[in-house]
Amino acid sequence: MDRLDPSHIDLGLERMLQLMERLGNPHLNFRSVHIAGTNGKGSTAAFISTVLSKAGYKTGLYTSPHLEKFSERVKIDGAEISADEIDAISHEVKVAAEALTAGEPTYFEFTTALAFLYFARQGVDIAIIETGLGGRLDATNIITPLVSIITPISLDHMDYLGKTIKEVAAEKGGIIKGGTAAIIGRQEDASLKALEKIAENNRAELFLLGREFHISDLSADKFDYCGLKRQIKGIEISMYGDHQKENASLALACLERLTIDGYKINDDILRTGIKETFWPGRFEIISNDPAFILDGAHNPAAAKELAKSLKTRFNGHRGVFVLGFMGDKDVEAIVAELAPLASEIILTKPAGDRAFDPAAEAPIIKNLLKHSRATVIPDIKEAIVKGIMLAKERSFIIITGSLYMVGEARTILKGIIV
Protein backbone atom coordinates (compact mmCIF):
# COMPACT_ATOMS: atom_id res chain seq x y z
CA MET A 1 0.00 0.00 0.00
CA ASP A 2 2.84 2.39 0.81
CA ARG A 3 4.21 1.86 -2.71
CA LEU A 4 1.03 3.24 -4.27
CA ASP A 5 0.76 6.99 -4.88
CA PRO A 6 -2.11 8.48 -2.79
CA SER A 7 -2.38 11.42 -5.20
CA HIS A 8 -2.92 9.25 -8.28
CA ILE A 9 -6.55 9.43 -9.46
CA ASP A 10 -8.06 7.05 -12.02
CA LEU A 11 -11.83 6.99 -11.63
CA GLY A 12 -13.79 3.89 -12.60
CA LEU A 13 -15.37 0.79 -11.08
CA GLU A 14 -13.99 -2.10 -13.16
CA ARG A 15 -10.84 -2.67 -11.10
CA MET A 16 -12.78 -2.37 -7.85
CA LEU A 17 -15.44 -4.89 -8.92
CA GLN A 18 -12.77 -7.36 -10.02
CA LEU A 19 -10.89 -6.88 -6.76
CA MET A 20 -14.03 -7.38 -4.68
CA GLU A 21 -14.88 -10.57 -6.55
CA ARG A 22 -11.44 -12.00 -5.86
CA LEU A 23 -11.89 -11.14 -2.17
CA GLY A 24 -15.30 -12.79 -1.92
CA ASN A 25 -17.42 -9.64 -2.41
CA PRO A 26 -17.22 -8.44 1.20
CA HIS A 27 -19.18 -5.29 0.34
CA LEU A 28 -22.30 -7.44 -0.02
CA ASN A 29 -22.04 -8.64 3.57
CA PHE A 30 -22.83 -5.46 5.49
CA ARG A 31 -25.47 -2.73 5.38
CA SER A 32 -24.36 0.83 4.76
CA VAL A 33 -24.96 4.56 4.49
CA HIS A 34 -23.16 6.31 1.62
CA ILE A 35 -22.14 9.99 1.72
CA ALA A 36 -20.99 12.26 -1.13
CA GLY A 37 -20.73 16.04 -1.51
CA THR A 38 -18.11 18.76 -1.56
CA ASN A 39 -18.06 19.86 2.08
CA GLY A 40 -19.27 18.29 5.30
CA LYS A 41 -19.00 14.61 4.37
CA GLY A 42 -16.68 13.64 7.20
CA SER A 43 -18.55 15.56 9.88
CA THR A 44 -21.91 14.14 8.75
CA ALA A 45 -20.45 10.62 8.76
CA ALA A 46 -19.06 11.18 12.25
CA PHE A 47 -22.44 12.31 13.61
CA ILE A 48 -24.19 9.22 12.21
CA SER A 49 -21.48 6.84 13.37
CA THR A 50 -21.42 8.22 16.91
CA VAL A 51 -25.20 8.01 17.34
CA LEU A 52 -25.43 4.47 15.98
CA SER A 53 -22.62 3.31 18.25
CA LYS A 54 -24.35 4.95 21.22
CA ALA A 55 -27.52 3.06 20.25
CA GLY A 56 -25.63 -0.23 20.57
CA TYR A 57 -24.99 -1.00 16.90
CA LYS A 58 -21.56 -2.17 15.80
CA THR A 59 -20.76 0.66 13.40
CA GLY A 60 -18.00 0.89 10.83
CA LEU A 61 -16.74 4.26 9.60
CA TYR A 62 -14.65 4.77 6.45
CA THR A 63 -13.42 8.30 5.68
CA SER A 64 -10.56 10.05 3.92
CA PRO A 65 -8.05 11.55 3.95
CA HIS A 66 -6.41 10.77 7.27
CA LEU A 67 -4.73 13.58 9.19
CA GLU A 68 -1.83 11.87 10.92
CA LYS A 69 -2.01 8.09 10.42
CA PHE A 70 -3.75 5.72 8.05
CA SER A 71 -5.73 3.91 10.76
CA GLU A 72 -7.90 7.03 11.21
CA ARG A 73 -9.63 6.09 7.94
CA VAL A 74 -11.06 2.79 9.17
CA LYS A 75 -12.88 2.60 12.51
CA ILE A 76 -15.44 0.50 14.31
CA ASP A 77 -17.31 2.19 17.16
CA GLY A 78 -14.65 4.90 17.22
CA ALA A 79 -11.72 2.48 17.56
CA GLU A 80 -9.16 2.61 14.75
CA ILE A 81 -8.13 -0.51 12.88
CA SER A 82 -5.01 -2.07 14.43
CA ALA A 83 -1.61 -2.18 12.77
CA ASP A 84 -1.76 -6.00 12.75
CA GLU A 85 -5.11 -5.95 10.96
CA ILE A 86 -3.78 -3.46 8.42
CA ASP A 87 -0.76 -5.66 7.72
CA ALA A 88 -2.77 -8.88 7.42
CA ILE A 89 -5.58 -7.51 5.24
CA SER A 90 -3.17 -5.48 3.10
CA HIS A 91 -1.39 -8.71 2.23
CA GLU A 92 -4.67 -10.33 1.18
CA VAL A 93 -5.63 -7.35 -0.96
CA LYS A 94 -2.17 -7.27 -2.54
CA VAL A 95 -2.39 -10.95 -3.53
CA ALA A 96 -5.87 -10.44 -4.98
CA ALA A 97 -4.76 -7.29 -6.84
CA GLU A 98 -1.86 -9.06 -8.53
CA ALA A 99 -4.28 -11.16 -10.58
CA LEU A 100 -6.48 -8.31 -11.85
CA THR A 101 -6.89 -8.05 -15.62
CA ALA A 102 -8.11 -4.44 -15.32
CA GLY A 103 -4.75 -3.19 -14.03
CA GLU A 104 -3.23 -2.24 -10.71
CA PRO A 105 -5.63 -0.64 -8.22
CA THR A 106 -5.11 2.94 -7.10
CA TYR A 107 -4.21 3.77 -3.50
CA PHE A 108 -7.83 4.67 -2.74
CA GLU A 109 -9.16 1.49 -4.34
CA PHE A 110 -6.69 -0.54 -2.30
CA THR A 111 -7.64 1.15 0.97
CA THR A 112 -11.37 0.87 0.18
CA ALA A 113 -10.99 -2.86 -0.41
CA LEU A 114 -9.13 -3.14 2.89
CA ALA A 115 -11.91 -1.30 4.75
CA PHE A 116 -14.71 -3.32 3.19
CA LEU A 117 -12.99 -6.63 3.95
CA TYR A 118 -12.36 -5.51 7.53
CA PHE A 119 -15.98 -4.46 8.10
CA ALA A 120 -17.29 -7.73 6.66
CA ARG A 121 -14.90 -9.83 8.78
CA GLN A 122 -15.79 -7.89 11.93
CA GLY A 123 -19.51 -8.35 11.33
CA VAL A 124 -20.55 -4.70 11.59
CA ASP A 125 -24.26 -3.96 11.87
CA ILE A 126 -23.83 -1.03 9.51
CA ALA A 127 -20.97 0.93 7.91
CA ILE A 128 -20.90 4.65 7.17
CA ILE A 129 -18.97 5.12 3.93
CA GLU A 130 -17.63 8.45 2.66
CA THR A 131 -16.76 8.80 -1.02
CA GLY A 132 -13.22 9.78 -1.94
CA LEU A 133 -13.80 11.85 -5.09
CA GLY A 134 -17.10 12.45 -6.83
CA GLY A 135 -19.50 9.56 -6.51
CA ARG A 136 -20.62 7.89 -9.73
CA LEU A 137 -17.17 6.44 -10.52
CA ASP A 138 -15.77 6.54 -6.98
CA ALA A 139 -14.31 3.26 -5.71
CA THR A 140 -16.87 3.17 -2.89
CA ASN A 141 -19.81 3.21 -5.33
CA ILE A 142 -20.12 -0.56 -5.51
CA ILE A 143 -22.32 -0.67 -2.41
CA THR A 144 -26.10 -0.42 -2.32
CA PRO A 145 -26.77 1.64 0.80
CA LEU A 146 -29.91 1.93 2.86
CA VAL A 147 -29.54 5.72 2.65
CA SER A 148 -27.48 8.00 0.41
CA ILE A 149 -26.57 11.51 1.61
CA ILE A 150 -25.46 14.40 -0.56
CA THR A 151 -23.92 17.25 1.43
CA PRO A 152 -23.64 20.77 -0.09
CA ILE A 153 -22.02 20.74 -3.52
CA SER A 154 -19.69 23.40 -4.89
CA LEU A 155 -17.07 23.52 -7.64
CA ASP A 156 -14.02 21.43 -6.74
CA HIS A 157 -11.88 18.84 -8.54
CA MET A 158 -13.27 20.21 -11.82
CA ASP A 159 -10.68 18.36 -13.93
CA TYR A 160 -12.37 15.12 -12.88
CA LEU A 161 -15.98 16.04 -12.08
CA GLY A 162 -16.97 18.74 -14.57
CA LYS A 163 -16.79 22.48 -15.08
CA THR A 164 -20.30 23.38 -13.89
CA ILE A 165 -22.30 22.78 -10.72
CA LYS A 166 -24.77 20.72 -12.73
CA GLU A 167 -22.00 18.43 -14.00
CA VAL A 168 -20.43 18.05 -10.55
CA ALA A 169 -23.83 17.32 -9.00
CA ALA A 170 -24.49 14.65 -11.62
CA GLU A 171 -21.25 12.91 -10.65
CA LYS A 172 -21.83 13.14 -6.89
CA GLY A 173 -25.49 12.19 -7.25
CA GLY A 174 -24.34 8.97 -8.89
CA ILE A 175 -24.37 7.29 -5.47
CA ILE A 176 -28.19 7.50 -5.35
CA LYS A 177 -29.52 3.99 -5.96
CA GLY A 178 -32.92 2.75 -7.01
CA GLY A 179 -35.46 2.12 -4.28
CA THR A 180 -33.37 3.75 -1.55
CA ALA A 181 -33.65 7.02 0.38
CA ALA A 182 -31.61 10.13 -0.49
CA ILE A 183 -30.99 12.86 2.10
CA ILE A 184 -29.95 16.13 0.45
CA GLY A 185 -28.26 19.16 2.06
CA ARG A 186 -28.73 22.74 0.91
CA GLN A 187 -27.85 23.10 -2.78
CA GLU A 188 -27.67 25.68 -5.52
CA ASP A 189 -30.64 25.49 -7.90
CA ALA A 190 -28.69 23.80 -10.70
CA SER A 191 -27.30 21.21 -8.32
CA LEU A 192 -30.69 20.48 -6.78
CA LYS A 193 -32.36 20.04 -10.16
CA ALA A 194 -29.68 17.55 -11.20
CA LEU A 195 -30.07 15.57 -7.97
CA GLU A 196 -33.87 15.58 -8.19
CA LYS A 197 -33.65 14.21 -11.74
CA ILE A 198 -31.33 11.41 -10.62
CA ALA A 199 -33.64 10.52 -7.73
CA GLU A 200 -36.66 10.52 -10.03
CA ASN A 201 -34.94 8.28 -12.59
CA ASN A 202 -33.95 5.86 -9.83
CA ARG A 203 -37.29 6.03 -8.02
CA ALA A 204 -35.46 7.01 -4.87
CA GLU A 205 -37.17 8.82 -1.99
CA LEU A 206 -35.83 12.37 -1.71
CA PHE A 207 -35.64 14.28 1.58
CA LEU A 208 -34.35 17.84 1.33
CA LEU A 209 -33.09 20.08 4.13
CA GLY A 210 -35.37 23.08 4.26
CA ARG A 211 -38.28 21.16 2.74
CA GLU A 212 -38.86 17.74 4.36
CA PHE A 213 -36.82 18.55 7.46
CA HIS A 214 -35.65 21.79 9.06
CA ILE A 215 -33.43 23.33 11.72
CA SER A 216 -34.19 26.54 13.61
CA ASP A 217 -33.37 28.65 16.68
CA LEU A 218 -29.65 28.36 16.10
CA SER A 219 -27.48 29.57 18.95
CA ALA A 220 -23.77 29.06 19.49
CA ASP A 221 -24.13 25.49 20.73
CA LYS A 222 -27.80 24.50 20.28
CA PHE A 223 -30.46 24.08 17.60
CA ASP A 224 -34.01 22.75 17.14
CA TYR A 225 -34.66 19.92 14.70
CA CYS A 226 -38.00 19.46 12.95
CA GLY A 227 -37.57 16.17 11.17
CA LEU A 228 -39.31 13.65 8.99
CA LYS A 229 -41.45 12.58 11.94
CA ARG A 230 -39.62 13.77 15.06
CA GLN A 231 -39.25 17.20 16.60
CA ILE A 232 -36.38 17.67 19.05
CA LYS A 233 -35.70 21.03 20.68
CA GLY A 234 -32.49 22.33 22.20
CA ILE A 235 -30.07 19.80 20.73
CA GLU A 236 -26.59 20.57 22.01
CA ILE A 237 -23.66 20.40 19.60
CA SER A 238 -19.95 20.58 20.33
CA MET A 239 -18.75 21.18 16.78
CA TYR A 240 -18.69 24.89 15.99
CA GLY A 241 -20.50 26.70 13.18
CA ASP A 242 -23.96 26.85 11.65
CA HIS A 243 -22.79 24.54 8.85
CA GLN A 244 -22.14 21.85 11.45
CA LYS A 245 -25.72 22.16 12.65
CA GLU A 246 -26.80 21.56 9.06
CA ASN A 247 -24.48 18.55 8.86
CA ALA A 248 -26.01 17.27 12.10
CA SER A 249 -29.51 17.70 10.65
CA LEU A 250 -28.55 15.54 7.63
CA ALA A 251 -27.34 12.91 10.07
CA LEU A 252 -30.56 13.13 12.09
CA ALA A 253 -32.72 12.76 8.97
CA CYS A 254 -30.67 9.73 7.95
CA LEU A 255 -31.01 8.20 11.41
CA GLU A 256 -34.75 8.77 11.34
CA ARG A 257 -34.95 7.04 7.96
CA LEU A 258 -32.94 4.08 9.26
CA THR A 259 -35.69 3.32 11.78
CA ILE A 260 -37.71 1.99 8.82
CA ASP A 261 -34.96 -0.61 8.37
CA GLY A 262 -35.18 -1.71 11.98
CA TYR A 263 -32.64 0.51 13.72
CA LYS A 264 -34.00 1.65 17.07
CA ILE A 265 -32.71 5.04 18.20
CA ASN A 266 -34.52 7.11 20.81
CA ASP A 267 -34.36 10.88 21.21
CA ASP A 268 -31.99 10.69 24.20
CA ILE A 269 -29.48 8.69 22.15
CA LEU A 270 -29.80 11.19 19.30
CA ARG A 271 -29.11 14.08 21.68
CA THR A 272 -26.14 12.37 23.33
CA GLY A 273 -24.59 11.27 20.04
CA ILE A 274 -24.80 14.70 18.42
CA LYS A 275 -23.39 16.41 21.52
CA GLU A 276 -20.46 14.00 21.87
CA THR A 277 -19.41 13.92 18.20
CA PHE A 278 -15.93 15.28 17.55
CA TRP A 279 -14.22 15.45 14.17
CA PRO A 280 -10.59 16.66 14.16
CA GLY A 281 -9.41 19.42 11.86
CA ARG A 282 -12.82 21.08 11.57
CA PHE A 283 -12.72 24.35 13.53
CA GLU A 284 -10.71 22.41 16.08
CA ILE A 285 -9.60 24.70 18.91
CA ILE A 286 -6.47 23.12 20.32
CA SER A 287 -5.47 25.84 22.80
CA ASN A 288 -6.53 29.26 24.08
CA ASP A 289 -4.88 32.60 24.90
CA PRO A 290 -4.56 33.11 22.01
CA ALA A 291 -7.08 30.79 20.41
CA PHE A 292 -5.31 28.31 18.13
CA ILE A 293 -7.56 26.75 15.48
CA LEU A 294 -7.11 24.03 12.86
CA ASP A 295 -9.56 23.87 9.97
CA GLY A 296 -9.36 21.95 6.71
CA ALA A 297 -11.19 24.51 4.51
CA HIS A 298 -9.82 23.72 1.04
CA ASN A 299 -12.27 25.35 -1.36
CA PRO A 300 -14.10 28.71 -1.57
CA ALA A 301 -17.38 27.37 -0.14
CA ALA A 302 -15.63 25.93 2.91
CA ALA A 303 -13.59 29.12 3.32
CA LYS A 304 -16.80 31.16 3.29
CA GLU A 305 -18.24 29.04 6.13
CA LEU A 306 -14.97 29.30 8.03
CA ALA A 307 -14.98 33.10 7.71
CA LYS A 308 -18.56 33.19 8.98
CA SER A 309 -17.63 31.09 12.03
CA LEU A 310 -14.58 33.24 12.78
CA LYS A 311 -16.60 36.45 12.58
CA THR A 312 -19.14 35.06 15.03
CA ARG A 313 -16.62 33.53 17.40
CA PHE A 314 -14.28 36.54 17.55
CA ASN A 315 -16.75 39.40 17.04
CA GLY A 316 -15.14 40.47 13.78
CA HIS A 317 -11.61 40.78 15.22
CA ARG A 318 -8.77 39.82 12.92
CA GLY A 319 -6.12 37.16 13.51
CA VAL A 320 -3.08 35.40 12.05
CA PHE A 321 -3.60 32.93 9.19
CA VAL A 322 -1.12 30.20 8.27
CA LEU A 323 -2.20 29.07 4.80
CA GLY A 324 -1.10 26.20 2.59
CA PHE A 325 -2.88 24.56 -0.33
CA MET A 326 -2.77 21.75 -2.84
CA GLY A 327 -1.83 22.93 -6.32
CA ASP A 328 -5.23 22.27 -7.89
CA LYS A 329 -7.16 24.58 -5.55
CA ASP A 330 -8.67 27.98 -6.32
CA VAL A 331 -6.26 29.77 -4.02
CA GLU A 332 -7.29 33.29 -5.00
CA ALA A 333 -10.99 32.65 -4.31
CA ILE A 334 -10.24 30.96 -0.97
CA VAL A 335 -7.99 33.78 0.20
CA ALA A 336 -10.55 36.36 -0.93
CA GLU A 337 -12.98 34.89 1.62
CA LEU A 338 -10.43 34.85 4.45
CA ALA A 339 -8.32 37.98 3.85
CA PRO A 340 -10.74 40.48 5.47
CA LEU A 341 -10.26 38.65 8.79
CA ALA A 342 -6.46 38.49 8.59
CA SER A 343 -4.09 40.79 10.43
CA GLU A 344 -1.22 38.75 8.95
CA ILE A 345 -1.02 35.88 6.46
CA ILE A 346 1.83 33.40 6.43
CA LEU A 347 2.02 31.27 3.28
CA THR A 348 3.60 27.86 3.68
CA LYS A 349 3.85 24.61 1.73
CA PRO A 350 2.26 21.28 2.65
CA ALA A 351 4.28 18.15 2.00
CA GLY A 352 3.95 16.31 -1.30
CA ASP A 353 4.33 16.97 -5.00
CA ARG A 354 0.74 18.26 -5.33
CA ALA A 355 1.31 21.24 -2.99
CA PHE A 356 1.21 24.78 -4.38
CA ASP A 357 4.27 27.03 -4.53
CA PRO A 358 3.70 29.77 -1.92
CA ALA A 359 6.31 32.08 -3.41
CA ALA A 360 4.58 31.99 -6.81
CA GLU A 361 1.17 32.69 -5.26
CA ALA A 362 2.34 35.44 -2.91
CA PRO A 363 1.99 38.37 -5.41
CA ILE A 364 -1.59 37.35 -6.22
CA ILE A 365 -2.50 37.06 -2.56
CA LYS A 366 -0.85 40.35 -1.63
CA ASN A 367 -3.07 42.08 -4.18
CA LEU A 368 -6.10 40.86 -2.21
CA LEU A 369 -4.91 42.24 1.10
CA LYS A 370 -5.79 45.73 2.23
CA HIS A 371 -4.99 45.77 5.94
CA SER A 372 -2.83 42.71 6.31
CA ARG A 373 0.55 41.48 5.19
CA ALA A 374 1.61 38.24 3.49
CA THR A 375 4.87 36.48 4.38
CA VAL A 376 6.25 33.37 2.71
CA ILE A 377 7.73 30.72 5.03
CA PRO A 378 7.84 27.40 3.10
CA ASP A 379 8.74 25.24 6.11
CA ILE A 380 5.52 24.45 8.01
CA LYS A 381 7.13 24.24 11.45
CA GLU A 382 8.84 27.61 11.00
CA ALA A 383 5.57 29.09 9.73
CA ILE A 384 3.70 27.82 12.79
CA VAL A 385 6.31 29.12 15.22
CA LYS A 386 6.23 32.53 13.52
CA GLY A 387 2.43 32.51 13.64
CA ILE A 388 2.41 31.75 17.36
CA MET A 389 4.78 34.68 18.01
CA LEU A 390 2.56 37.05 16.04
CA ALA A 391 -0.65 35.73 17.55
CA LYS A 392 0.34 36.71 21.07
CA GLU A 393 -0.76 40.18 20.12
CA ARG A 394 -3.80 39.08 18.07
CA SER A 395 -7.15 37.47 18.83
CA PHE A 396 -6.47 34.09 17.17
CA ILE A 397 -4.20 32.03 14.94
CA ILE A 398 -5.59 29.57 12.41
CA ILE A 399 -3.96 26.98 10.18
CA THR A 400 -6.09 26.21 7.14
CA GLY A 401 -6.23 25.59 3.39
CA SER A 402 -5.63 21.84 3.28
CA LEU A 403 -6.53 18.83 5.40
CA TYR A 404 -3.12 17.40 4.56
CA MET A 405 -1.46 20.46 6.07
CA VAL A 406 -3.74 20.33 9.10
CA GLY A 407 -2.55 16.77 9.67
CA GLU A 408 1.08 17.85 9.48
CA ALA A 409 0.38 20.74 11.83
CA ARG A 410 -1.30 18.49 14.41
CA THR A 411 1.81 16.35 14.56
CA ILE A 412 4.13 19.35 14.81
CA LEU A 413 2.04 21.06 17.48
CA LYS A 414 2.29 18.08 19.82
CA GLY A 415 5.91 19.04 20.32
CA ILE A 416 5.24 22.78 20.59
CA ILE A 417 1.98 23.30 22.48
CA VAL A 418 1.02 20.00 24.11
Side-chain angles (χ1 to χ4, degrees), residues 20 54 64 77 171 206 227 250 262 282 285 305 349 368:
M20 287 292 97
K54 292 286 181 185
S64 61
D77 292 336
E171 290 298 315
L206 195 67
L250 298 180
R282 281 72 173 180
I285 301 176
E305 290 296 336
K349 185 177 182 180
L368 295 171

Side-chain angles (χ1 to χ4, degrees), residues 13 34 131 135-143 174-177:
L13 300 180
H34 205 184
T131 59
R136 184 176 66 91
L137 297 176
D138 186 78
T140 61
N141 201 29
I142 57 172
I143 58 175
I175 70 166
I176 298 173
K177 304 295 196 304

Side-chain angles (χ1 to χ4, degrees), residues 63-110:
T63 58
S64 61
H66 58 272
L67 294 182
E68 296 182 80
K69 55 186 185 300
F70 173 81
S71 57
E72 297 168 17
R73 294 177 179 235
V74 185
K75 300 178 183 178
I76 294 178
D77 292 336
E80 298 174 10
I81 186 173
S82 70
D84 288 343
E85 290 280 8
I86 294 172
D87 288 344
I89 298 177
S90 291
H91 179 71
E92 290 185 65
V93 176
K94 177 179 180 293
V95 171
E98 287 172 346
L100 296 186
T101 60
E104 183 177 68
T106 65
Y107 178 89
F108 186 71
E109 289 168 344
F110 192 104

Side-chain angles (χ1 to χ4, degrees), residues 198-240:
I198 293 170
E200 179 183 353
N201 291 342
N202 284 283
R203 297 183 180 180
E205 291 183 276
L206 195 67
F207 302 96
L208 177 65
L209 174 60
R211 191 173 70 188
E212 280 77 23
F213 61 103
H214 308 262
I215 55 174
S216 59
D217 292 338
L218 281 66
S219 63
D221 58 358
K222 290 183 181 180
F223 67 98
D224 295 343
Y225 171 73
C226 180
L228 310 181
K229 292 185 177 179
R230 300 187 190 187
Q231 293 190 31
I232 311 174
K233 293 185 177 294
I235 299 174
E236 295 183 60
I237 184 169
S238 300
M239 296 178 66
Y240 192 77

Side-chain angles (χ1 to χ4, degrees), residues 255-290:
L255 291 159
E256 274 200 88
R257 185 59 179 71
L258 287 176
T259 60
I260 294 176
D261 298 294
Y263 294 88
K264 297 178 180 178
I265 312 162
N266 64 40
D267 288 0
D268 288 340
I269 292 294
L270 290 173
R271 287 180 180 275
T272 301
I274 297 299
K275 181 179 180 180
E276 294 186 7
T277 298
F278 166 72
W279 199 234
R282 281 72 173 180
F283 211 91
E284 179 184 1
I285 301 176
I286 59 173
S287 67
N288 290 290
D289 195 26

Side-chain angles (χ1 to χ4, degrees), residues 118-132:
Y118 179 63
F119 292 153
R121 294 262 176 88
Q122 293 296 315
V124 298
D125 296 313
I126 191 167
I128 316 306
I129 308 297
E130 177 190 353
T131 59

